[in-house]
Amino acid sequence: MASHVTHPGTRRRKIDFDEALPVDHRLNLVYRIGAGLMGLFLLAFGILGLTDNIGFFDTGGNTAIGLNTNGSLSVLSICVGLLLFVGMVIGGNFASTLNMVLGVLFILNGFLFLGLLGTDSNFLAFRIQNVLFSFVVGLVLMVFGMYGRVSTNLPHDNPYWRARHPESEQRTEITGDQVR
């Protein structure tokens, strides 16, 4: 079991990831690609769902790209797709955090509608393929958002590793050694 030792007289400094991750850092591309790909798919699904002129809360068997849909799910998909595009444009930590948060929300949504399958409360017309899609999109978004941010083996030049290990940065400044 891992534990962190705090030494007397040392203060925990606040980690400010916005300053630790430069705008042109290579992880930024991963976060942007994840947000852009998922945003594009959700936008396409929402637009195709709206083109059928289905009812807003219709729970019939209308499908788009093999997934069951209605007007409200289509509009919601367009909104989330646009939000992911905004994350792609902004990039950086915003895109990473947005991917992680939306990934968790997609997984929770999958569990919610798994419980609502076959009930009158299923207002988004989910079927099992929608639930599975929600789980897959949630996991993909979380992987894209956590990439390079959450791991036990982050390289020492990673800005997240440096922010979590300020003592190695102080030791480098004192001795002039390079951290490897």
Side-chain angles (χ1 to χ4, degrees):
M1 178 163 60
S3 63
H4 297 287
V5 178
T6 57
H7 300 285
T10 60
R11 287 189 349 219
R12 304 260 316 158
R13 75 177 193 184
K14 181 180 176 235
I15 298 174
D16 191 5
F17 289 121
D18 290 333
E19 291 178 12
L21 186 63
V23 176
D24 61 346
H25 195 274
R26 62 187 168 166
L27 293 175
N28 191 23
L29 182 63
V30 174
Y31 305 145
R32 286 177 184 247
I33 288 173
L37 288 176
M38 289 296 115
L40 179 68
F41 187 82
L42 290 172
L43 198 60
F45 172 72
I47 290 171
L48 288 173
L50 283 180
T51 58
D52 287 338
N53 294 328
I54 55 179
F56 204 68
F57 290 109
D58 184 23
T59 56
N62 299 314
T63 61
I65 315 177
L67 299 171
N68 210 39
T69 188
N70 63 13
S72 57
L73 181 59
S74 295
V75 169
L76 185 63
S77 296
I78 290 171
C79 291
V80 173
L82 289 174
L83 182 62
L84 283 167
F85 271 128
V86 167
M88 181 187 72
V89 169
I90 294 173
N93 291 318
F94 178 77
S96 172
T97 304
L98 180 69
N99 286 344
M100 286 190 289
V101 168
L102 287 178
V104 168
L105 290 177
F106 265 95
I107 289 174
L108 292 175
N109 182 52
F111 280 119
L112 173 69
F113 279 96
L114 182 62
L116 294 178
L117 286 178
T119 66
D120 292 335
S121 300
N122 188 2
F123 61 93
L124 292 180
F126 264 51
R127 297 239 169 112
I128 193 66
Q129 64 265 26
N130 296 74
V131 170
L132 294 175
F133 173 76
S134 186
F135 287 147
V136 169
V137 168
L139 287 173
V140 168
L141 281 173
M142 285 176 47
V143 166
F144 272 115
M146 291 181 187
Y147 182 79
R149 229 176 142 163
V150 179
S151 175
T152 57
N153 297 326
L154 291 175
H156 294 246
D157 67 338
N158 185 298
Y160 298 104
W161 186 90
R162 283 184 282 150
R164 292 181 189 133
H165 299 89
E167 69 280 353
S168 66
E169 207 169 290
Q170 292 170 351
R171 186 177 56 228
T172 303
E173 291 172 2
I174 293 171
T175 62
D177 294 333
Q178 296 248 342
V179 177
R180 298 199 191 270

